[in-house]
């Protein structure tokens, strides 16, 4: 086990190369397309704004990508007292 | 018409400014007229690396805003008479640069100089995009390390999309300059190899600059390493890279892991 650890530590470059290749393949694919998360964010914001007034900061959109599927996480905080966020937004 | 070369990287601290100074001085030493333009508005440093920090009177922003002529802002190097520096401003904000203004300055420089080197700020924002906007060629400075290579890939994407040449459907020539290369660490498998970097980025190699104390010393002294210590291994690598930039076909020799006699011998044969 110890020997294996030493071996692993010594050749970290192949790991770096592989991680980069996977990551960059993904990033290059998405480069030509507009940023999906920010488009979703804007459109979700527009839908909410029709009914409730919230500040930009109260909406969190994030994409967690996996091998076979990705998860879209949307976190919207709607304050109970509308006066508070309005004042902060101003 | 001179050639406009942007020296860029995405990531900070990889050696853009040092490389701009070293490559520019190396080209100027051959008698070519060279202008070095610092695009890092607010955080200028090329003047310091060139040892001209006390001679800055006017800067790029002054020229763009019309408060100084280009000829007033250009600082002639004291060591190489065909080498000039156009400093960035220290105080004004980044929005002081306009695309139109930068375009005019680059056009003027292009008509007078053989080479115009644009030292890009770090990042992928406006300043970096303006630095590359009018370039004919790009030198992408990369350290053999994951974050640097990733950022270089981003910058390559920008070069192919946002430069004037790319928008006109022309090809922008790109070269990778690997800096701070530690042969011993690469041999131990601790550092991305040159082949790894080239395979991932698929951009031709301009040169490999070995990690060297002399580069730091040159910066301390305010002199490009190609002028102050031309026989040093890093300086020789820069001199060779400059020759390749000018179109010479010169094989790149990967620095040997064993330092000392054998290394020097191999290095000399390469030079």
């Amino acid at each position: 086990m110890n020997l294996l650890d030493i071996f692993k530590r010594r050749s970290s470059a192949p790991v770096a190369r592989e991680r980069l290749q996977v990551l960059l393949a993904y990033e290059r694919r998405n480069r030509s397309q507009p940023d999906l998360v920010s488009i979703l964010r804007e459109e979700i914001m527009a839908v909410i704004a029709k009914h409730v007034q919230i500040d930009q900061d109260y909406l969190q959109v994030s994409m967690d990508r996996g091998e076979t599927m990705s998860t879209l996480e949307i976190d919207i905080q709607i304050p109970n007292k509308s006066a508070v966020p309005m004042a902060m937004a101003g | 018409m001179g050639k406009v070369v942007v020296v860029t990287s995405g990531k900070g601290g990889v050696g853009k400014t040092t490389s701009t100074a070293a490559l520019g001085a190396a080209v100027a030493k051959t008698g070519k007229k060279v202008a070095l333009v610092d695009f890092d508005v607010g955080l200028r440093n090329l003047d310091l690396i060139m040892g001209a920090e006390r001679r800055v009177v006017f800067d790029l922003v002054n020229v763009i805003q019309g408060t100084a002529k280009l000829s007033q802002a250009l600082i002639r190097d004291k060591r190489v008479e065909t080498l000039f520096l156009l400093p960035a401003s220290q105080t004004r904000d980044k929005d002081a640069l306009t695309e139109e203004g930068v375009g005019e300055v680059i056009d003027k420089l292009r008509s007078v100089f053989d080479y115009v080197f644009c030292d890009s700020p770090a990042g992928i924002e406006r300043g970096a995009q303006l630095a590359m906007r009018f370039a004919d060629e790009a030198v992408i400075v990369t350290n053999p390390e994951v974050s640097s290579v990733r950022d270089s890939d981003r910058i390559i994407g920008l070069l192919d999309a946002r430069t004037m040449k790319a928008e006109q459907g022309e090809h922008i020539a790109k070269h990778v300059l690997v800096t701070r290369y530690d042969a011993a660490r690469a041999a131990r498998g601790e550092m991305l190899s040159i082949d790894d970097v080239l395979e991932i980025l698929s951009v031709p190699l301009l040169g490999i600059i070995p990690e060297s104390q002399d580069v730091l010393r040159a910066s301390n002294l305010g002199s490009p390493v190609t002028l102050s210590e031309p026989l040093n291994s890093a300086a020789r690598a820069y001199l060779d890279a400059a020759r390749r930039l000018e179109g010479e076909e010169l094989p790149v020799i990967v620095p040997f892991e064993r330092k000392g006699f054998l290394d020097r011998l191999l290095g000399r044969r390469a030079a």
Side-chain angles (χ1 to χ4, degrees), chain B residues 11-235:
Chain B
K11 192 174 184 297
V14 295
K16 283 181 296 298
T17 302
T18 309
S19 297
T20 304
L23 285 175
V27 175
K29 267 214 298 194
T30 67
K32 297 262 165 53
K33 282 195 84 178
V34 175
L36 310 179
V37 186
D38 191 347
F39 272 84
D40 206 345
V41 172
L43 288 170
R44 72 166 178 230
N45 271 321
L46 189 55
D47 55 334
L48 198 56
I49 300 300
M50 292 296 293
E53 70 277 10
R54 293 169 69 176
R55 300 170 63 204
V56 176
V57 182
F58 298 112
D59 55 54
L60 177 60
V61 173
N62 292 137
V63 177
I64 285 174
Q65 293 181 341
T67 50
K69 285 184 198 158
L70 182 58
S71 56
Q72 290 176 300
L74 281 167
I75 302 168
R76 184 196 286 263
D77 190 82
K78 287 193 167 166
R79 297 148 297 208
V80 183
E81 64 168 19
T82 53
L83 182 59
F84 289 79
L85 166 69
L86 181 55
S89 72
Q90 185 67 304
T91 49
R92 275 171 254 221
D93 68 321
K94 286 189 197 300
D95 296 330
L97 294 185
T98 60
E99 184 178 326
E100 202 186 356
V102 170
E104 280 171 21
V105 171
I106 295 287
D107 273 350
K108 276 186 207 156
L109 289 171
R110 206 199 282 269
S111 66
V112 179
F113 290 91
D114 297 311
Y115 278 90
V116 180
F117 285 91
C118 303
D119 182 20
S120 173
I124 52 169
E125 302 302 320
R126 193 180 150 73
Q129 293 197 14
L130 277 174
M132 69 168 67
R133 184 76 183 142
F134 303 97
D136 304 305
E137 294 194 18
V139 172
I140 301 139
V141 183
T142 307
N143 291 166
E145 173 268 326
V146 280
S147 56
S148 175
V149 174
R150 181 199 205 175
D151 290 359
S152 292
D153 193 72
R154 258 327 264 294
I155 280 290
I156 290 166
L158 281 181
L159 285 165
D160 288 334
R162 300 283 174 82
T163 52
M164 208 67 150
K165 276 219 150 184
E167 281 180 9
Q168 289 166 354
E170 286 176 64
H171 174 71
I172 175 158
K174 299 182 288 288
H175 318 265
V176 167
L177 183 68
V178 178
T179 56
R180 312 200 64 172
Y181 183 77
D182 186 331
R185 295 190 62 199
R188 287 198 300 268
E190 296 171 0
M191 197 182 223
L192 285 170
S193 73
I194 297 297
D195 286 342
D196 290 345
V197 174
L198 296 182
E199 191 194 322
I200 290 166
L201 297 179
S202 41
V203 168
L205 181 65
L206 185 68
I208 306 164
I209 314 300
E211 173 84 69
S212 165
Q213 291 296 317
D214 297 301
V215 174
L216 179 64
R217 209 158 70 105
S219 298
N220 287 344
L221 300 173
S223 170
V225 72
T226 44
L227 294 185
S228 63
E229 311 197 40
L231 295 178
N232 163 261
S233 60

